[in-house]
Amino acid sequence: GAGVSQSPSNKVTEKGKDVELRCDPISGHTALYWYRQSLGQGLEFLIYFQGNSAPDKSGLPSDRFSAERTGGSVSTLTIQRTQQEDSAVYLCASSLGSNTGELFFGEGSRLTVL
Amino acid sequence: QQPVQSPQAVILREGEDAVINCSSSKALYSVHWYRQKHGEAPVFLMILLKGGEQKGHDKISASFNEKKQQSSLYLTASQLSYSGTYFCGTETSGTYKYIFGTGTRLKVLA
């Protein structure tokens, strides 16, 4: 596709279960970002990748959160032992990774933890 | 570390002007501006690089004062389509890591 694709678009899970959120960036984009947006709030930085490496993981809220990127393309954000406070929209964005590169955002994955 | 935006919210009539400010406690390398409509993904408006430049297209422009670590977005002769939440995204070290501001909700009324 032409844009950033995220799946699932909606996920409802029970507290304590693990979830995986997937992001398929725009082809050729070397930089990939994960942000979290709680209801009515701003964009909270989680992690970003340059190629397959993650220079900055400082935004991950706890060790229950992890992310990987393979082949310089698809990325997966994994949340283990989900808690109710993890409920939010998880947004992925990609860019060319240059200093003039705009971020292209996906539609997000809405996670609800019951 | 999160940039602070002001005002938090603003209501305008069509045709009125608005200014949204973004202030960082850290030295800035670049600033992006995005608009997010309800239930949609943020959409890129413009980027300003270190050097104090001012940019614009149509009736939306922005400035970047790196000494003051601030950027401002100017909306002139606002249209209904300008309604949404505006975010600045700041880069502090040339690493392409963007931290977004607290957001400004803008509503334009007919």
Side-chain angles (χ1 to χ4, degrees), chain A residues 1-110:
Chain A
V4 177
S5 178
Q6 291 188 246
S7 61
S9 53
N10 273 289
K11 175 72 176 180
V12 179
T13 190
E14 292 180 348
K15 178 181 172 182
K17 295 283 178 80
D18 298 351
V19 296
E20 282 190 355
L21 307 177
R22 174 188 167 109
C23 174
D24 200 341
I26 292 172
S27 178
H29 279 192
T30 59
L32 186 148
Y33 304 79
W34 284 100
Y35 291 90
R36 179 168 72 175
Q37 188 170 36
S38 300
L39 187 63
Q41 301 300 310
L43 300 164
E44 177 189 4
F45 171 83
L46 298 179
I47 188 171
Y48 90 106
F49 293 88
Q50 276 286 11
N52 289 336
S53 64
D56 194 323
K57 302 179 182 180
S58 63
L60 294 176
S62 72
D63 59 8
R64 296 186 295 104
F65 287 72
S66 63
E68 65 175 12
R69 188 181 185 192
T70 55
S73 181
V74 173
S75 176
T76 302
L77 177 69
T78 301
I79 309 172
Q80 296 179 311
R81 304 181 303 281
T82 51
Q83 304 293 313
Q84 288 184 331
E85 61 263 27
D86 299 335
S87 297
V89 175
Y90 290 81
L91 289 164
C92 174
S94 70
S95 80
L96 289 170
S98 70
N99 61 5
T100 57
E102 65 183 272
L103 272 61
F104 291 84
F105 283 86
E107 294 297 318
S109 291
R110 180 177 297 278

Side-chain angles (χ1 to χ4, degrees), chain B residues 11-75:
Chain B
I11 299 176
L12 301 171
R13 292 283 180 188
E14 259 189 305
E16 292 181 337
D17 302 340
V19 179
I20 299 172
N21 300 302
C22 173
S23 181
S24 174
S25 59
K26 295 191 171 186
L28 299 179
Y29 189 83
S30 70
V31 179
H32 289 206
W33 284 96
Y34 292 80
R35 177 171 60 211
Q36 184 179 33
K37 292 186 180 288
H38 183 69
E40 299 180 8
V43 173
F44 175 80
L45 293 175
M46 65 187 72
I47 180 173
L48 301 106
L49 302 177
K50 186 177 177 179
E53 63 177 302
Q54 184 155 352
K55 276 192 160 184
H57 65 87
D58 199 11
K59 296 183 175 68
I60 300 176
S61 62
S63 63
F64 177 22
N65 187 324
E66 61 184 287
K67 287 186 179 179
K68 293 186 176 181
Q69 296 162 190
Q70 293 176 345
S71 177
S72 295
L73 186 71
Y74 306 94
L75 306 167

